[in-house]
Amino acid sequence: MDYLRIQGPTKLQGTVVISGAKNAALPLITLALLAHNKVTMTNMPEVADIKTLLKLLQNLGASYNLENHTLTIDTSTVNHTMANYDIVKTMRASILVLGPLLARFGHCEVSLPGGCAIGQRPIDLHLKALEQMGAEITIHAGYVHAVAPEGLKGAHIVFDKITVTGTANIVMAAALAHGKTVIQNAAREPEVVQLCEILRDSGIDISGIGTSELVIIGTGGKTIDMIDFEVIPDRIEAGTYLCAAAITDSSITLENVRPDHLDAVTAKLEHMGCTFELGETTMTIHPAQKLKPVDIITQEYPAFPTDMQAQFMALAVRANGASTIEERLFENRFMHVSELQRLGAEIKLSGHTATVIGACELFGADVMATDLRASSALVLAGMAAEGTTNVHRIYHLDRGYENLEQKLRALGATIDRLKE
Ligand code: UD1
């Protein structure tokens, strides 16, 4: 197993190119299941989660080629409709095949994703919405069996909670359904917006894009002529590099970024004293003279993203004063707290709120990555800590950060990937 060795404290400088957004690319790849043509997607992040999903689609019968961040995928040969436990258990986002497979074939069997480190993460809202669209769903032996022999039909869906992959699944199902689907309380994340835009540009009648009410007129079972496109930049990777600059008191420039997707993140960094120069696709961050504490509540887009919570916790450890961080989306997303404490952080937990004492001296130690974003928080803290930090179990990190250590090394960090 690989681990990262970081020598701190470190200063960063220079430019980092942000990769395509993993969370945009995942539903866009499953969207190809609705297409009858070969599709080319550029700016594809080459991270483990993407490779896992491509393997799943290959198991279903699709063929693809991923080279130099360009994916061509052809799903016209798909002849299986079962997503096996072996793959789904490694990546919950595999559930994104459910809506498209059911819409295209009228039946499918998808393994239940089960719990994960950051919480229970049920899929009840996906299933309920598909049932409203006429699907018959049974759960047997760990699998969701879904059938809609006459095809799915449009419905009026009101999500009880805002769900990102739930919205994506239902948007894709609705695209091939018979008639009109209205989705209320839809997710407005940029990744969902891109999915809707690609569907619209591929000829689907979809309105309300970017709002919490989407209206989709389905094709009645006809597959779509999907356009080629470029995946949007990864706002979470970008936010992580902004935190890397802030925690090391450094100035760096991000390229291939969408500053408007990061408003909630830059607002908090500005509050902490960082300053920015923004271009259309570039961002330069300058460090705070004296890092101020911050109060954060994680919520759905456009509010502060839960996927940036751990990185800000690492940063808050260095702030001059106490910060509070309230996690509203996932019940168990504080597992990085005890690892940050191993590095010297003072953090008190009370229910869903962490109070970070701040102004802590950090000292290198062995720490364990517990989930994708927690891993990057430990890398950030390691760069600010005095001495050597070893971050173990970095397979979490490889799921969503492309070449993290190469990118950080190019910015001047002393970071190496070693074998246990
Ligand atoms: C997506 C992102 C993930 C991010 C999360 C929240 C992808 C691949 N992953 O995950 O990085 O952290 O959004 O921004 O895009 N819920 C239910 N029932 C459901 C579905 C969700 O109760 O059927 C709950 C969840 O437990 C959670 C909340 O709704 O408390 C939001 O979850 P959701 O938006 O669905 O997260 P994901 O789509 O899994």
Side-chain angles (χ1 to χ4, degrees):
M1 227 186 278
D2 291 356
Y3 69 100
L4 289 179
R5 172 163 290 176
I6 302 156
Q7 200 63 42
T10 197
K11 277 265 185 201
L12 304 178
Q13 61 171 359
T15 298
V16 58
V17 180
I18 300 304
S19 298
K22 166 183 88 73
N23 285 355
L26 291 169
L28 287 164
I29 290 172
T30 63
L31 178 63
L33 283 166
L34 301 185
H36 48 247
N37 57 316
K38 195 189 242 184
V39 184
T40 301
M41 313 181 188
T42 51
N43 202 30
M44 183 58 61
E46 295 189 16
V47 294
D49 271 8
I50 296 298
K51 293 174 187 163
T52 303
L53 184 65
L54 289 172
K55 194 167 153 211
L56 170 53
L57 263 70
Q58 194 174 40
N59 289 351
L60 297 174
S63 58
Y64 71 90
N65 182 50
L66 175 59
E67 233 177 311
N68 295 328
H69 301 104
T70 298
L71 171 72
T72 46
I73 183 157
D74 182 357
T75 69
S76 62
T77 45
V78 168
N79 52 4
H80 296 289
T81 54
M82 181 182 247
N84 282 314
Y85 175 67
D86 287 350
I87 289 196
V88 179
K89 72 167 191 239
T90 64
M91 189 183 66
R92 293 185 43 84
S94 313
I95 197 65
L96 284 163
V97 299
L98 177 65
L101 282 178
L102 181 60
R104 176 162 154 197
F105 296 100
H107 63 92
C108 66
E109 304 76 36
V110 178
S111 172
L112 279 171
C116 76
I118 63 172
Q120 205 189 357
R121 298 182 85 174
I123 53 159
D124 56 316
L125 302 174
H126 304 230
L127 302 184
K128 194 173 145 205
L130 289 171
E131 279 175 339
Q132 279 182 267
M133 297 176 77
E136 284 168 30
I137 293 181
T138 48
I139 309 252
H140 178 66
Y143 279 77
V144 176
H145 297 256
V147 289
E150 309 293 313
L152 294 168
K153 55 182 194 305
H156 192 122
I157 315 269
V158 185
F159 278 123
D160 288 344
K161 269 190 195 174
I162 299 175
T163 161
V164 175
T165 48
T167 302
N169 242 334
I170 302 311
V171 162
M172 292 188 278
L176 253 59
H178 297 267
K180 177 163 112 176
T181 297
V182 178
I183 306 175
Q184 284 185 314
N185 208 23
R188 293 181 285 158
E189 269 66 5
E191 295 77 18
V192 173
V193 170
Q194 183 171 35
L195 177 75
C196 295
E197 285 173 348
I198 300 303
L199 263 176
R200 179 198 60 201
D201 296 346
S202 302
I204 297 294
D205 183 347
I206 172 166
S207 54
I209 296 177
T211 76
S212 55
E213 182 171 313
L214 296 167
V215 180
I216 303 144
I217 313 291
T219 62
K222 280 208 291 287
T223 48
I224 64 173
D225 197 16
M226 190 168 160
I227 57 157
D228 297 337
F229 62 89
E230 182 178 328
V231 178
I232 56 170
D234 195 314
R235 63 194 167 100
I236 306 302
E237 187 198 18
T240 304
Y241 283 100
L242 294 178
C243 287
I247 203 170
T248 57
D249 286 328
S250 307
S251 223
I252 64 167
T253 297
L254 276 48
E255 283 180 358
N256 185 34
V257 68
R258 281 279 302 262
D260 55 321
H261 290 168
L262 281 150
D263 285 346
V265 170
T266 43
K268 291 298 175 190
L269 286 168
E270 276 174 343
H271 174 92
M272 295 179 90
C274 300
T275 53
F276 290 91
E277 289 163 55
L278 302 182
E280 227 168 272
T281 58
T282 60
M283 295 175 91
T284 299
I285 178 169
H286 302 292
Q289 294 198 330
K290 194 171 178 203
L291 203 62
K292 290 192 215 124
V294 67
D295 294 319
I296 284 172
I297 298 175
T298 67
Q299 274 169 304
E300 296 85 358
Y301 191 85
F304 188 90
T306 174
D307 285 352
M308 284 302 303
Q309 183 254 101
Q311 301 88 316
F312 267 77
M313 190 177 292
L315 186 55
V317 170
R318 304 291 288 166
N320 292 280
S323 301
T324 60
I325 298 182
E326 186 181 338
E327 172 57 56
R328 290 226 183 136
L329 285 169
F330 295 111
E331 71 268 24
N332 195 24
R333 206 169 196 178
F334 277 144
M335 284 183 315
H336 41 282
V337 168
S338 50
E339 300 303 307
L340 288 171
Q341 284 167 337
R342 289 176 59 78
L343 296 169
E346 265 188 76
I347 303 167
K348 289 182 188 147
L349 272 184
S350 169
H352 295 300
T353 303
T355 304
V356 184
I357 304 305
C360 277
E361 286 299 313
L362 297 175
F363 295 96
D366 282 86
V367 288
M368 199 98 86
T370 48
D371 71 61
L372 171 54
R373 305 305 169 184
S375 324
S376 63
L378 298 176
V379 172
L380 299 186
M383 287 194 299
E386 190 73 45
T388 307
T389 296
N390 296 313
V391 183
H392 301 274
R393 295 206 183 156
I394 53 163
Y395 53 85
H396 290 292
L397 210 117
D398 294 333
R399 285 186 39 218
Y401 287 97
E402 186 170 343
N403 298 334
L404 181 83
E405 75 270 19
Q406 284 97 319
K407 288 187 184 185
L408 284 174
R409 228 183 356 248
L411 291 170
T414 309
I415 177 167
D416 291 296
R417 180 180 287 254
L418 302 167
K419 295 251 177 247
E420 300 277 5

